[in-house]
Amino acid sequence: MAWLISDEARKHRAFREVWVAYLLGGLYLLLGLYTEISEQNYSVLYDAQQKWNFVQQNIYSYGATLTAFLLAVGLPRLVCCEREYRTDDLVGTAALGRLCTWRAKTAFTVLYCAVVVFIIGAASLLVNGGAFGFEGALSSVVRCVYFADTALPPMSNLAYCAIQYGFLFLGALYFAGFILIVAALTRRTALSLFLCGGSYLLFFAYSAVGPQLPEFLRVPIDALYRFGFGGYLLQESYSWVFPYLWSDVWKPVLLGIGMILLEFFIFLQIWRRKAKA
């Protein structure tokens, strides 16, 4: 199995658009980090708790969008490459070839999401925390985004930031499952990239202008946003339905895990059907 995952990684590295995404993503991350530090002037204007509150919000300001961009560009061709390179018939020559290929692509997708989130999270914590010397990193969090301050269990500021990136990883898997399904249905890289990237941008736009929409539009779109990958990537789904109480966070987490498993199962069914077509 390990060598199959390694093969998927080599395919991924061979895609030209992936390296373009890495370059643009790296520049976007550097710009986001520079903007955060230059605008907030951590060392002068704010106390330690407020500084960590800014770090928490970095996930919303650039982490979620950068994650979505790298997934939308980096994953579609991984599903479509056999069809586009006309090597898909070779996959079926082995008895379990299609199933093993699905497992390898799914496992690589999970690893890819983990690496993307880890790099973004590590860069954000190291650069932003380093800007004020990690003052108060191990102090109990008393101010946070998304949850009521009084509802949080005892944890440090650093631990809460790490948990937020765990939430982002769950949202990344949710979005990745959607990408795999779209790519398996279309079997066209460019079309899949357009549909998946456009879907995230619509959700992102809704997060900014949603309250201004008429109620007959806002209610169904809001439900789709909150229970879909958009709300999970932008961290808002963890506290909306179960109002801001940390004790209820297991409910959206369980829902997200269930949706991810369902997406990978649907991807398997489409992969098998399309391969036989």
Side-chain angles (χ1 to χ4, degrees), residues 156-239:
S156 66
N157 288 297
L158 187 60
Y160 181 73
C161 289
I163 288 174
Q164 275 195 285
Y165 278 101
F167 289 158
L168 180 61
F169 174 61
L170 186 65
L173 289 177
Y174 199 167
F175 185 42
F178 174 76
I179 294 172
L180 296 180
I181 291 174
V182 172
L185 285 171
T186 64
R187 294 191 286 185
R188 297 292 184 273
T189 299
L191 179 59
S192 300
L193 195 158
F194 173 77
L195 292 175
C196 296
S199 297
Y200 174 78
L201 288 177
L202 289 175
F203 281 134
F204 183 80
Y206 173 78
S207 70
V209 303
Q212 303 174 22
L213 295 176
E215 186 173 357
F216 75 94
L217 287 176
R218 179 171 51 81
V219 172
I221 297 176
D222 195 69
L224 184 62
Y225 169 72
R226 301 292 180 174
F227 292 104
F229 60 80
Y232 276 81
L233 277 170
L234 293 168
Q235 304 280 299
E236 295 186 19
S237 293
Y238 296 102
S239 59

Side-chain angles (χ1 to χ4, degrees), residues 60-80:
Y60 179 86
S61 61
Y62 56 81
T65 299
L66 179 55
T67 299
F69 171 73
L70 292 174
L71 297 184
V73 177
L75 291 179
R77 193 180 292 272
L78 192 72
V79 179
C80 303

Side-chain angles (χ1 to χ4, degrees), residues 251-272:
K251 298 176 182 178
V253 169
L254 185 62
L255 173 63
I257 293 173
M259 292 301 296
I260 292 167
L261 294 176
L262 178 62
E263 286 178 330
F264 286 154
F265 175 76
I266 294 174
F267 171 50
L268 173 61
Q269 301 308 310
I270 298 172
W271 177 261
R272 284 176 166 174

Side-chain angles (χ1 to χ4, degrees), residues 49 52 56 136-137 139-143 155-161:
Q49 293 298 335
W52 281 104
Q56 296 165 21
S139 301
S140 296
V141 58
V142 296
R143 184 182 302 138
M155 70 173 74
S156 66
N157 288 297
L158 187 60
Y160 181 73
C161 289

